[in-house]
Each structure stands twice: as structure tokens, then as C-alpha cells.
Amino acid sequence: MTLKISVIGTGYLGVTHAACMSSMGFQVVGIDIDASKISALSAGELPFYEPGLQELLVAELASGRLTFSDSITSAASADVHFVCVGTPQRAGSLAADLSYVDSAIENLAPVIKSGSLVVGKSTVPVGTAERLLARLQHVNPLLDLAWNPEFLREGFAVEDTLHPNRLVVGVTNDDAEAILKEVYAQNLAEDVPWIRADLPTAELVKGAANSFLATKISFINAMAEVCEAAGGDVTVLAKAIGYDPRIGSRFLQAGIGFGGGCLPKDIRSFMARAQELGADQSLEFLREIDAINLRARTRVIDLVRAELEENLIGYKIAILGAAFKPDSDDVRDSPALDIASQLQAAGAAVTVHDPKALKSAQLRFPVLNYAESIEECIAEADLILHLTEWKIYRELDPVKLIGLVKRPIIIDGRNALDRDLWISAGWKFRALGRKAIN
Ligand code: UGA
């Protein structure tokens, strides 16, 4: 008989996982305490933007395999329960807030049937899984728990879930692994690498992977700083080192650095946990990674001042991009919005455009000015900042835009625009880690 699945938490991760599991043929219920989110999802409305997910959601609802509920008791008949709730940074601390994970387990334990498997997907500090397993078995000794970290990227969430580059399962026994092999049978048939680990290793894999990615980005941003000091070009440097397969060219895009709901808080929570474990020295370097990352935001503001003047009061600055990365409407710890609000606080008149994230940006930073169109955003601007590399910005025609602004100055905070094109159209083009060319 086909396994029945419940997914607890319907954020980016949970909705994607639920819809993808349904598309693999399982009966799935997605559960969340937020009743308004559940009624939207049940009506086929995705509360956030993620390419391809809206269509998949509608199709899976229509198939009858996917349902949503705001009651945890809807998980009662499922065999496997994926915990996909958020673990944001705890207020006033570097550590992760585990309250959503803890309450998911507390609520699940008394209602699910004996023999069922709870599978954690949320990013948690090492040691959490063992603690949760003990808690589950205290309520019902016939429950089991596995940890199955998630590596999906926003913007590619459906693709990454249906075709992951590896599956990591932390288990304490063969039965749990067998159940997970049944869940992921389609992936296994496609030869997706399968890594069985113990619980702590599975938890650590996630922290290690995100720390490595953050390190790669901060490494190239540190190189950008050195290029600036020495008169080099970080985009050429990145290309040159990227050809070495041991280094690789991905995640070497210098610019205003990483943000989002994962990388920043994950490296901090990893450091905080290492400290608790007495291994603080081992992850001390992540403090520097974090500092380099935040410095990139300041450096771009320094560039703005260098182009305008130290005192920004009254200057009109247009910002292209609000999301923390393209193809997402997620503005959690968005470098673009952080820079926008710092410029606004410095007295500049800031107008922000984004093709998908205006609504989420407005909710988080209501004091900024937002424009629905690029033309409206840049009208009479003293300077344009390109901060999220959406395709529509790369396709802009600088010849057409030059008549709209007060001064033709653009700073490419993502090193993603075609510099020659903008310069030949008459713009002054500045970018992090590259020399100024007029
Ligand atoms: C990240 C990881 O890439 C996923 O594997 C992981 O599953 C996820 O976190 C998570 O923990 O849930 P995501 O936050 O969606 O995924 O975004 P990334 O594609 O990793 O980008 C993170 C940030 O780094 C963005 O702000 C992006 O603009 C920035 N970035 C990325 C750079 O500044 N330079 C680069 O070369 C690449």
C-alpha cells in the first residue's frame, strides 16, 4: 500500500515538499497553524512566489492526492510525517529559535499512530534530533524519528526537490531507512546519491553545506576588496580561478553578498552550537565570513557616497531589486533592502523596484518608497543601484533609460550587468571589485 504522508509547516520548504511528494503519487496532507494560509493553499493560491510551484499546487490539488489542514489531527492517518517548520534566528542571540520544531513534535506525538516515522527537514543545531527522538518515544515508545536535511534553493525549489543532487538520511535503524527509501524510490531509480548517516552527522551536513557556500561567497567578496585596493578586476579573477575544477565557478559571483532566510542565520546558529559544544575555535572563521558579508553592504554605500557626496540628504536613489536573490519574493535579510534602508536613513530619497517582491518588501520596510515600474523607479534619479540580478534588469536597454535619469550613474551591486553596454550608452558604471571606467 502506498505510504501516506503529512507535512508540518507550509512555508517555502513545506509547500514545495508536499506538492512534490503528491506529484510522486503519495497521498499528502500539508498542515499549518496559520488558518488563513491553509485556506489560501486549499484554494490553490500560493502565498509566496516560487517558479513552477503555483502550477504544481493547482495540479496536485486537482489530482485529489494533496490536501491542506490547520488541524494536527489530520496527520493521524499518515505513516510518515515531515517536519518543515522554520528555525529563524532567536531574538537577541546567534542561536536558532527551535520553538516551532519543538511544538510540532509536542503536537504530533500524541496524535500519530504507533509505528509511524517522523522525519525532520528543518535546519537545526546538532543534537536536536536525538532530543526530539527521546521526547517522541517518551510519549509513545513505538514512534521513530529520522533527520533528512533539505538542500533546495529558493527559485529552484521544485526542480531541487524532484531532482536533488543527493539525499542524506540520518537514522538510528534499518526500518527507518527502508521507509525513507520507499518515499524516495523515484529519486533512487534516477541514481540520486543516497547517504545514510547517524542523526548528528545528518544535522551537521546541513550546517557544513551552508557554511561552505557562505565561505565561497565571502571569499570572492574578500578578493573583490583586494581587487579594489590593487586596481584588479574580481570578475576576471573569479572566471580565471573557477576553471580549476577543484575550485569551480559557481557561487563566485562577487557583489553585495548573501542574505535570505538560510545562509546568514545558519552560519550563526552553527557557531553558537559549536560554542556550546566547546568547539568554538573550529568555527571561529565563520565570524569573519559573516563580517566580510556585511561589509559588502557598507562598501556599496561607500561607492554611492564616492559618486555623489558624503552627505546623501536629498539625493534621489533608485534601487533595482528588493528580493534577497532573483526568482524569489523572499526579502528575509535581503542585502538589497538593508542597503536601501541604510541609504534612506542617511537622508537619501530611495525608491525601490522589484518584479515580484514589492508586496513582501513593503510589509517589512513600509517607510521606503516603492515603484511598480522601472521607469517610475529611476525617474529623475541621481544614481541607480542594481542590487538583485533579475533577468529583466540584465535585459534593460541603457540607451532608452538614459533620458529618464538626472545623472547617468549606475552601480552594479551584483556584477551581473553588461558593463560595456552601459558605458557605450553614456553611463558611468561602477561595481564592487572592479575599477571605475568612465
Ligand atoms: C541556500 C542553499 O543554497 C540551499 O542549498 C539550502 O537548502 C538553503 O539555503 C536552505 O538552507 O534552506 P537559498 O537561501 O535559497 O539556498 O539561496 P542561495 O542560492 O544559496 O543564495 C543565498 C544568497 O547568496 C543570495 O542572497 C545570493 O544572492 C547570494 N549569492 C549567491 C552571492 O552573493 N554570490 C553567489 O555567487 C551566489
Side-chain angles (χ1 to χ4, degrees):
M1 227 182 58
T2 318
L3 292 171
K4 280 186 171 179
I5 290 175
S6 87
V7 175
I8 317 303
T10 58
Y12 288 91
L13 168 58
V15 178
T16 310
H17 193 67
C20 289
M21 287 287 122
S22 165
S23 80
M24 289 177 179
F26 297 106
Q27 193 73 37
V28 182
V29 58
I31 300 172
D32 202 291
I33 46 171
D34 183 341
S36 64
K37 214 190 233 179
I38 289 300
S39 60
L41 287 166
S42 305
E45 291 159 24
L46 193 61
F48 52 85
Y49 174 70
E50 177 62 41
L53 188 53
Q54 173 71 55
E55 296 82 348
L56 187 68
L57 171 69
V58 170
E60 294 312 312
L61 285 169
S63 77
R65 286 185 299 268
L66 178 63
T67 54
F68 290 95
S69 166
D70 62 3
S71 165
I72 197 74
T73 52
S74 306
S77 63
D79 309 287
V80 183
H81 310 271
F82 284 98
V83 175
C84 297
V85 295
T87 51
Q89 189 172 338
R90 199 189 300 161
S93 161
L94 288 187
D97 175 357
L98 295 178
S99 57
Y100 302 106
V101 173
D102 286 338
S103 76
I105 296 295
E106 289 307 318
N107 295 335
L108 266 178
V111 301
I112 56 181
K113 58 187 184 191
S114 294
S116 57
L117 178 67
V118 176
V119 185
K121 275 202 156 299
S122 310
T123 301
V124 292
V126 59
T128 305
E130 277 175 356
R131 176 171 67 75
L132 298 178
L133 174 60
R135 182 63 201 144
L136 277 177
Q137 293 187 337
H138 176 76
V139 177
N140 179 350
L142 297 176
L143 296 178
D144 195 7
L145 179 126
W147 215 262
N148 170 215
E150 181 56 56
F151 306 107
L152 71 79
R153 299 159 296 165
E154 288 179 27
F156 299 89
V158 174
E159 172 69 16
D160 285 353
T161 306
L162 292 177
H163 307 287
N165 48 25
R166 79 285 209 193
L167 284 161
V168 177
V169 295
V171 291
T172 59
N173 58 72
D174 294 344
D175 290 348
E177 185 183 19
I179 292 173
L180 284 166
K181 281 193 166 167
E182 210 176 319
V183 170
Y184 290 117
Q186 280 190 30
N187 300 128
L188 288 174
E190 290 170 9
D191 290 331
V192 172
W194 179 267
I195 296 151
R196 173 175 170 161
D198 53 27
L199 292 175
T201 307
E203 292 166 308
L204 286 169
V205 167
K206 178 62 190 262
N210 276 0
S211 296
F212 192 88
L213 294 172
T215 301
K216 218 174 163 189
I217 299 168
S218 279
F219 174 83
I220 202 64
N221 283 335
M223 292 305 113
E225 293 179 3
V226 178
C227 282
E228 277 164 24
D233 187 322
V234 73
T235 64
V236 178
L237 181 145
K239 195 169 164 188
I241 64 171
Y243 278 116
D244 183 334
R246 292 169 304 173
I247 296 174
S249 59
R250 298 175 72 185
F251 269 66
L252 279 187
Q253 189 84 15
I256 56 170
F258 58 82
C262 303
L263 260 47
K265 65 111 177 145
D266 285 356
I267 62 169
R268 290 172 191 161
S269 122
F270 206 26
M271 277 187 274
R273 185 64 185 132
Q275 196 160 26
E276 284 169 8
L277 294 168
D280 38 342
Q281 262 192 329
S282 315
L283 297 190
E284 182 66 22
F285 74 96
L286 289 176
R287 276 173 62 82
E288 201 52 49
I289 298 307
D290 204 347
I292 294 167
N293 190 52
L294 295 175
R295 207 151 68 218
R297 303 178 187 188
T298 317
R299 281 167 45 231
V300 91
I301 294 171
D302 291 345
L303 256 187
V304 172
R305 289 206 158 97
E307 287 307 321
L308 298 173
E309 63 170 302
E310 192 56 31
N311 181 347
L312 293 176
I313 294 172
Y315 281 105
K316 196 168 180 308
I317 297 175
I319 299 214
L320 300 181
F324 86 103
K325 66 188 261 188
D327 300 312
S328 170
D329 65 353
D330 195 346
V331 298
R332 285 176 294 171
D333 198 357
S334 163
L337 277 184
D338 183 10
I339 291 161
S341 68
Q342 287 193 48
L343 288 169
Q344 166 103 348
V350 177
T351 304
V352 181
H353 175 269
D354 191 284
K356 294 285 179 195
L358 279 192
K359 225 166 79 189
S360 44
Q362 236 151 1
L363 278 174
R364 206 162 276 235
F365 288 94
V367 293
L368 294 171
N369 187 36
Y370 295 93
E372 294 282 343
S373 75
I374 295 173
E375 290 75 15
E376 191 193 331
C377 175
I378 68 167
E380 289 302 308
D382 291 293
L383 185 145
I384 300 180
L385 269 173
H386 171 245
L387 298 185
T388 311
E389 69 278 34
W390 286 92
K391 189 162 172 272
I392 54 159
Y393 299 146
R394 292 202 302 274
E395 290 169 347
L396 284 173
D397 180 354
V399 177
K400 279 194 189 145
L401 299 185
I402 203 161
L404 301 178
V405 296
K406 191 162 164 198
R407 297 165 213 242
I409 310 172
I410 182 154
I411 297 178
D412 184 4
R414 290 294 184 179
N415 277 308
L417 300 176
D418 182 340
R419 178 170 70 175
D420 294 344
L421 195 72
W422 285 79
I423 290 174
S424 62
W427 290 75
K428 181 163 191 196
F429 190 98
R430 299 295 315 264
L432 294 172
R434 303 179 89 182
K435 267 185 288 202
I437 298 185
N438 295 316

